Amino acid sequence: MDCEVGTNNDDYDGTNQMIGIELVNEKGNTVNHVGIIFLPTGSTGRQCNAQEIKQAICNQLIAGLSNIRLLTKEGWTVLKEQETQLQLGNILNENQVIKIRRAFDKPRIGIVNSTGTAQGFVFCNNDICLHELRQIMNHQIPHIQVFHFIDNNDWPVSAEQESKLTIPDVLINQQIKIHMIGHEMVKVSTFSGDTFPPHQSPTKIRRLSSKSLTFVRHKDKMRSNCRQPVDSTDGSNDKKQLLISYVRAEAAQHALNLKNNLVQQGFSVYLDVHEIKTGSDWQDSLNEAVSGCQVFIPLVTPRYGETQWTNREVKLADVLGKYILPVNFLTYWPPKSLAIQFATTQFIPWKTLEQIENEKMLGFHDKIEDITLWDLQYVQNAAFEISNRVAGLEHRLQKRPTLRSYASILPDTEELEFVKSPREGRPLIVVCAHPNDLCFVKNTLQPLLEKQEYEVTCTAKSDVMNHEANADTQIIDDNLSQSLCNEYQLLRSLTQDTNVALQMTETELEIYQGIQHKIDEAGLAIFVLSKSFAMCNFARAMVFYCEQRKRVVPLKIEEFPMPGWLSMLIGTNTYEDVGRKDWETSLVRSIERKLNTTLQSPCQDENKISKGIQKLKASLPENFFVYISGGTKFYCSKSQGLCRALGKQLAMLDDVAIVTGGFYGTGETVSSSFYEEREALQKDTSTWHVLPEMDESDHSKRSRQNADGTFRAVPYGNTLFSGQSVRERETIISRLFDVCILIEGGPGAAHEAEQFAWNDHVVIPLKSTGGAASGKFNVPKQIFQVPGGVNNHDWEALSSETLSANQISQAVFRIINSLKSLKTSSNGHDGYTKSNKTVHTLPNGLPCSQESGNTEIITDDMRC
């Protein structure tokens, strides 16, 4: 029987029972006597359950208490689903008082240091590991950077133990104790035991005087004939002496810790997550930051240079003549994607020889090469070495040729016109080819170019690239694995300050420098695409070096399966093909257009993509989006059932939604299941489809394509159109959305996964479904690495052949929930990735609102 509860205090006539309401904090201490409510007396009143009593509190008291939790008379929190099972007698104490607590979407947890001084609080779920909590704290309490947790036994927790412990292991009375290391602590009022500390401005941290850096590189001297150098030490708050560049998925915490140590040594340090604010133009902000800094510090982890923005940042720093001082986390040098640029660059090892030997003696063999663990003492050593190197820069400069041709990554400023101007004399074209294709270059291509009065040079000459092709696997092979002794030898030599490119002979160094000089001087590069070229690591290094640095004309000379990284960097719709009847004429015209700087530039192409992202973003709600990729047909017997189960499972997340590319197969199956389940639950369907406006190719068997190349809307959910082709739509999608689920799939899906990886986004591959999701079609290997904040057991479930569709779907559910929580905790910063910088309104590229908390799922072209 329903309890008749009054809606206001006028109902009191002496027959109703008067009950006091007190507001308590997370520690159970009363912070406010809210007021009184009236409930009917007698047996009828005792029939009121907790849900009805909470409604009475909301009706009779202020509306601001609508989001509350009731406490039992013993002080235990009543969950929402328990309210109908408890009666008034369970929550009314002997003083005729009901205690309530503010309810939040996630629990609020206090953070105190080892002396009991409050440092703030965070919102997060109790089931996450401490490694995830650390990342949340870095964003929600930014002044806390270097610390370790103290567990509820008062034992310190090491960095490697954080992934094994969860919040209940360190939680005492709704607060967590930490020990802060290496910097002054912000002084905030101490918990009194009665209330959480009132809001107040923290005491200002003492500002260290900045060191003055005065040095000029060889490139700057070359430019001085035509312009005055830019002063980057004018004291402006917008310019920092040092800039840290990193792959967020691999080194976000490392970058934060290194910045903290460098600031302690007196440097001003630029770190994107702290400097770029919501609403800023990310591209312009980074251009200004790189232009204004004096020393560029890349944290070279395995994927550094192989994501879009780390690749462009380090190129821009190089072209602008910045002193580049890498911190190397690899066991080899140079990194394969930056082999040309970094061939002669000195670096600082992330661990010294002594540190490695100590770890070996202590039996920490797994820790030696685990780059996810960078102990604070090692960070401090690296910061100290950076300080020493910077202090002696005037004596350590390397001379490099000045870039004398167009570079699309450069900011459009007058002082850089000299760098972007063409070389004197005839235009120089560099032909990047494999030695196996030298015959075609000498007999066909070179005569054609020289007939047009171009100067031609080729990287495939026998004395240059032939040597490199033979030594290729020894220098930058993907499967390179050195013995520990070799690593010791490398690091020992580094500590003695000798040439860091120790894996190269003097001849090999000359090769790299020679080819670098050729590319720098050229106005245009031609890639001779063949199977040999696609399989050659040095050819890959040339493509990465030229991307965004040079005008490029790809020329395909034979049929071969093009790797995803190659088609992504050059664009499969833009290459010339000798198989076409008039390829010579087409090639000449393409070269003329590329060399004509008055025509459309790559910057304009980039602006087109950026505008497409902005337009699409403006049409979407402020939600968290999950993107579905895979095949347009099912080849694995379990895939269709898994897609149905996955859609139904994800629909249970109120703050998750789906977007598709409108193609048949995996995307449509997941999204339709999601849509139907949301309707059944009477929730917002939150299902979107993003199709290209048109495409010249025939996709009618895989999608709802019309005869004129346009596409029809999907009959359920919301359909949007973006891009002038499927590939252009893919580029926009892969930059805008942070998470992609990959199910089965062929070469098209593999290319899409490559795009997401290139943008430093998370791909969740359901390996058990086969195809691209299992690693076929040259899908990038890094998508199989466990993302930060994700449980290892859940990630392993994606590969299981024995788990049911429901069990795998539940694992994906938890993975999505972890990634979503991590992004939400970033509070408008970069979250767990940093690749959406082309979107000029939010660093994340994806609108993020803690208030709405909605997430949507998007599926794209599920081509096989």
Side-chain angles (χ1 to χ4, degrees):
M1 178 175 68
D2 291 340
C3 176
E4 299 293 333
V5 295
T7 59
N8 57 64
N9 293 351
D10 295 335
D11 292 333
Y12 182 61
D13 58 3
T15 62
N16 291 337
Q17 182 178 7
M18 183 173 64
I19 297 174
I21 305 298
E22 291 183 359
L23 180 67
V24 301
N25 62 17
E26 279 78 354
K27 300 176 69 175
N29 301 310
T30 300
V31 296
N32 190 18
H33 298 283
V34 178
I36 58 175
I37 63 170
F38 297 93
L39 295 177
T41 58
S43 59
T44 303
R46 290 296 175 180
Q47 293 302 313
C48 290
N49 61 35
Q51 186 179 69
E52 295 165 336
I53 295 171
K54 188 168 75 171
Q55 186 61 47
I57 295 173
C58 297
N59 291 340
Q60 298 182 33
L61 296 176
I62 56 176
L65 290 179
S66 59
N67 195 14
I68 60 172
R69 289 277 187 269
L70 300 178
L71 274 65
T72 68
K73 58 186 179 183
E74 294 84 6
W76 302 329
T77 301
V78 179
L79 301 179
K80 187 175 182 180
E81 53 267 28
Q82 297 171 332
E83 290 175 354
T84 58
Q85 304 172 30
L86 299 179
Q87 306 298 317
L88 178 62
N90 299 120
I91 61 176
L92 184 67
N93 66 21
E94 63 275 9
N95 296 322
Q96 296 296 296
V97 170
I98 294 176
K99 294 187 177 183
I100 62 174
R101 175 185 297 151
R102 283 287 310 277
F104 301 96
D105 292 338
K106 295 181 180 180
R108 182 169 63 160
I109 299 174
I111 307 296
V112 299
N113 65 19
S114 53
T115 64
T117 301
Q119 298 299 308
F121 60 86
V122 295
F123 293 101
C124 63
N125 293 322
N126 286 325
D127 59 350
I128 64 173
C129 68
L130 299 189
H131 177 70
E132 296 175 65
L133 175 61
R134 175 180 290 276
Q135 298 179 58
I136 293 173
M137 290 172 59
N138 284 334
H139 291 293
Q140 295 189 20
I141 317 178
H143 70 264
I144 300 179
Q145 297 295 335
V146 184
F147 65 92
H148 62 248
F149 293 102
I150 305 295
D151 76 356
N152 44 31
N153 296 305
D154 212 25
W155 298 338
V157 178
S158 66
E160 52 267 35
Q161 293 170 331
E162 289 182 5
S163 60
K164 301 176 182 178
L165 299 181
T166 59
I167 287 181
D169 295 312
V170 296
L171 190 66
I172 301 178
N173 201 15
Q174 206 55 28
Q175 65 186 30
I176 292 173
K177 185 189 297 185
I178 63 173
H179 177 62
M180 302 175 67
I181 305 170
H183 65 286
E184 297 182 52
M185 293 176 287
V186 177
K187 295 181 179 179
V188 188
S189 61
T190 306
F191 284 110
S192 64
D194 296 326
T195 65
F196 267 91
H199 175 74
Q200 57 177 287
S201 301
T203 305
K204 288 187 177 180
I205 299 176
R206 176 175 58 88
R207 291 185 62 87
L208 300 174
S209 58
S210 295
K211 296 183 179 180
S212 176
L213 309 183
T214 56
F215 62 89
V216 182
R217 285 199 60 180
H218 177 69
K219 287 184 178 181
D220 299 314
K221 295 177 181 178
M222 294 292 291
R223 298 177 194 140
S224 62
N225 295 328
C226 62
R227 66 173 177 85
Q228 293 296 321
V230 178
D231 181 10
S232 58
T233 57
D234 58 1
S236 169
N237 292 330
D238 296 329
K239 295 182 179 180
K240 307 290 185 179
Q241 295 166 331
L242 313 181
L243 183 147
I244 300 176
S245 174
Y246 61 101
V247 176
R248 172 157 295 276
E250 295 177 334
Q253 184 64 40
H254 302 342
L256 289 167
N257 291 342
L258 181 60
K259 175 184 176 179
N260 183 73
N261 277 271
L262 290 171
V263 168
Q264 290 181 53
Q265 296 194 37
F267 295 106
S268 59
V269 183
Y270 181 99
L271 193 65
D272 55 4
V273 72
H274 291 158
E275 307 294 339
I276 302 179
K277 306 302 180 183
T278 299
S280 301
D281 187 312
W282 189 287
Q283 175 69 76
D284 289 345
S285 297
L286 280 175
N287 284 344
E288 293 174 4
V290 177
S291 299
C293 79
Q294 291 183 297
V295 179
F296 183 88
I297 304 173
L299 305 186
V300 183
T301 50
R303 291 180 59 193
Y304 191 87
E306 295 185 4
T307 64
Q308 178 177 200
W309 289 101
T310 56
N311 190 274
R312 295 188 182 187
E313 288 167 10
V314 74
K315 287 174 182 173
L316 179 57
D318 179 52
V319 171
L320 295 179
K322 302 301 175 181
Y323 186 83
I324 300 177
L325 184 54
V327 177
N328 183 30
F329 288 76
L330 309 176
T331 57
Y332 55 90
W333 192 261
K336 54 183 179 294
S337 62
L338 299 171
I340 295 177
Q341 179 173 330
F342 279 177
T344 60
T345 302
Q346 294 184 348
F347 65 82
I348 293 173
W350 72 304
K351 293 181 180 180
T352 65
L353 171 64
E354 291 76 16
Q355 291 163 353
I356 290 178
E357 289 178 338
N358 287 337
E359 289 179 351
K360 183 182 178 183
M361 287 172 34
L362 293 172
F364 298 152
H365 297 286
D366 294 339
K367 183 179 178 181
I368 291 175
E369 295 184 6
D370 186 357
I371 66 168
T372 64
L373 305 175
W374 198 20
D375 289 350
L376 294 178
Q377 58 176 332
Y378 300 164
V379 180
Q380 294 167 358
N381 291 341
F384 182 75
E385 181 62 23
I386 289 172
S387 180
N388 289 340
R389 296 281 186 99
V390 169
L393 283 178
E394 292 178 320
H395 308 290
R396 304 170 70 97
L397 298 180
Q398 302 174 6
K399 293 187 177 181
R400 284 270 322 278
T402 303
L403 185 66
R404 293 297 305 275
S405 62
Y406 176 83
S408 63
I409 60 173
L410 291 178
D412 188 16
T413 55
E414 291 183 2
E415 64 265 20
L416 298 176
E417 287 303 317
F418 175 74
V419 183
K420 296 160 63 174
S421 63
R423 72 193 289 269
E424 299 176 359
R426 292 184 298 164
L428 174 64
I429 296 177
V430 59
V431 178
C432 300
H434 192 274
N436 292 349
D437 306 316
L438 186 58
C439 182
F440 168 80
V441 174
K442 286 186 175 181
N443 297 336
T444 304
L445 183 57
Q446 187 167 344
L448 175 64
L449 298 177
E450 291 176 344
K451 185 178 179 180
Q452 306 300 319
E453 298 187 351
Y454 296 125
E455 184 179 343
V456 182
T457 184
C458 180
T459 63
K461 292 181 180 180
S462 58
D463 60 339
V464 180
M465 195 170 173
N466 254 325
H467 178 88
E468 179 58 34
N470 293 333
D472 191 24
T473 56
Q474 299 175 9
I475 299 175
I476 52 174
D477 192 270
D478 288 335
N479 298 320
L480 179 65
S481 60
Q482 295 178 301
S483 67
L484 194 58
C485 291
N486 285 342
E487 183 178 3
Y488 287 168
Q489 182 62 38
L490 172 63
L491 293 173
R492 180 179 290 110
S493 298
L494 293 178
T495 59
Q496 295 172 358
D497 197 26
T498 57
N499 191 340
V500 298
L502 297 176
Q503 291 179 262
M504 295 185 183
T505 65
E506 184 175 347
T507 301
E508 290 164 350
L509 268 177
E510 292 177 357
I511 291 172
Y512 274 79
Q513 291 175 309
I515 291 180
Q516 183 182 38
H517 179 78
K518 288 181 180 181
I519 295 175
D520 282 353
E521 286 294 312
L524 180 140
I526 295 179
F527 296 146
V528 179
L529 304 182
S530 65
K531 182 178 180 179
S532 299
F533 186 91
M535 299 298 291
C536 177
N537 284 309
F538 186 74
R540 175 171 177 154
M542 287 191 293
V543 174
F544 270 96
Y545 186 75
C546 292
E547 192 268 339
Q548 287 295 313
R549 191 192 296 260
K550 288 289 164 181
R551 296 178 183 270
V552 172
V553 176
L555 175 62
K556 186 177 178 181
I557 64 171
E558 65 180 10
E559 292 298 326
F560 67 96
M562 190 174 296
W565 68 266
L566 183 57
S567 62
M568 178 191 62
L569 287 178
I570 68 175
T572 56
N573 294 325
T574 61
Y575 60 79
E576 302 294 330
D577 193 338
V578 298
R580 297 170 186 160
K581 185 176 181 180
D582 59 345
W583 72 270
E584 296 97 334
T585 302
S586 178
L587 176 62
V588 170
R589 289 176 179 173
S590 181
I591 293 172
E592 290 175 349
R593 288 195 301 269
K594 295 284 186 178
L595 289 176
N596 187 347
T597 57
T598 62
L599 298 178
Q600 184 175 5
S601 70
C603 280
Q604 291 171 302
D605 293 336
E606 181 65 30
N607 290 338
K608 181 181 178 182
I609 296 297
S610 183
K611 289 180 180 178
I613 293 173
Q614 291 283 30
K615 181 180 177 181
L616 179 59
K617 183 178 174 182
S619 303
L620 293 168
E622 292 189 354
N623 297 329
F624 180 89
F625 295 90
V626 178
Y627 180 82
I628 311 296
S629 180
T632 55
K633 295 180 181 179
F634 292 108
Y635 293 91
C636 176
S637 59
K638 66 184 293 185
S639 294
Q640 192 166 7
L642 178 56
C643 287
R644 297 288 305 173
L646 180 59
K648 187 174 182 179
Q649 188 71 45
L650 292 178
M652 303 302 293
L653 282 170
D654 291 336
D655 50 358
V656 174
I658 294 185
V659 183
T660 88
F663 278 59
Y664 305 140
T666 56
E668 182 154 305
T669 305
V670 173
S671 61
S672 61
S673 175
F674 179 91
Y675 182 88
E676 292 165 4
E677 185 67 17
R678 279 295 182 90
E679 279 194 324
L681 295 172
Q682 296 183 343
K683 296 181 179 180
D684 183 4
T685 57
S686 300
T687 306
W688 299 78
H689 314 279
V690 181
L691 283 155
E693 296 180 8
M694 68 163 298
D695 194 285
E696 295 179 354
S697 301
D698 183 8
H699 299 287
S700 58
K701 293 183 179 180
R702 299 191 292 266
S703 66
R704 300 170 179 84
Q705 187 181 31
N706 300 314
D708 61 356
T710 60
F711 294 85
R712 301 186 298 278
V714 179
Y716 60 93
N718 306 284
T719 300
L720 301 173
F721 296 91
S722 181
Q724 297 300 311
S725 67
V726 169
R727 277 300 169 90
E728 188 173 305
R729 188 275 313 273
E730 286 178 353
T731 301
I732 293 172
I733 287 293
S734 64
R735 295 192 189 181
L736 182 56
F737 301 108
D738 292 323
V739 179
C740 169
I741 298 177
L742 180 61
I743 308 169
E744 288 197 15
H751 175 267
E752 196 163 57
E754 181 84 36
Q755 285 270 23
F756 271 83
W758 174 244
N759 284 286
D760 202 5
H761 288 168
V762 175
V763 178
I764 303 174
L766 303 191
K767 294 184 67 176
S768 61
T769 62
S774 66
K776 296 180 180 179
F777 309 109
N778 295 310
V779 72
K781 297 177 182 178
Q782 60 262 37
I783 71 170
F784 300 109
Q785 298 173 359
V786 184
V790 171
N791 183 278
N792 286 333
H793 296 294
D794 288 335
W795 195 256
E796 291 170 359
L798 307 181
S799 307
S800 175
E801 298 289 345
T802 58
L803 293 180
S804 67
N806 284 334
Q807 289 173 316
I808 296 176
S809 297
Q810 290 167 6
V812 176
F813 174 96
R814 292 189 291 270
I815 291 171
I816 294 293
N817 202 32
S818 297
L819 296 174
K820 174 183 61 65
S821 298
L822 187 56
K823 179 172 180 122
T824 302
S825 71
S826 68
N827 195 26
H829 287 302
D830 215 7
Y832 46 82
T833 62
K834 81 170 200 175
S835 52
N836 279 348
K837 300 172 189 172
T838 51
V839 182
H840 296 324
T841 55
L842 279 180
N844 284 338
L846 175 65
C848 180
S849 171
Q850 267 188 312
E851 286 75 24
S852 66
N854 292 328
T855 307
E856 310 209 359
I857 297 185
I858 300 180
T859 70
D860 192 13
D861 175 18
M862 315 308 174
R863 300 194 305 278
C864 286

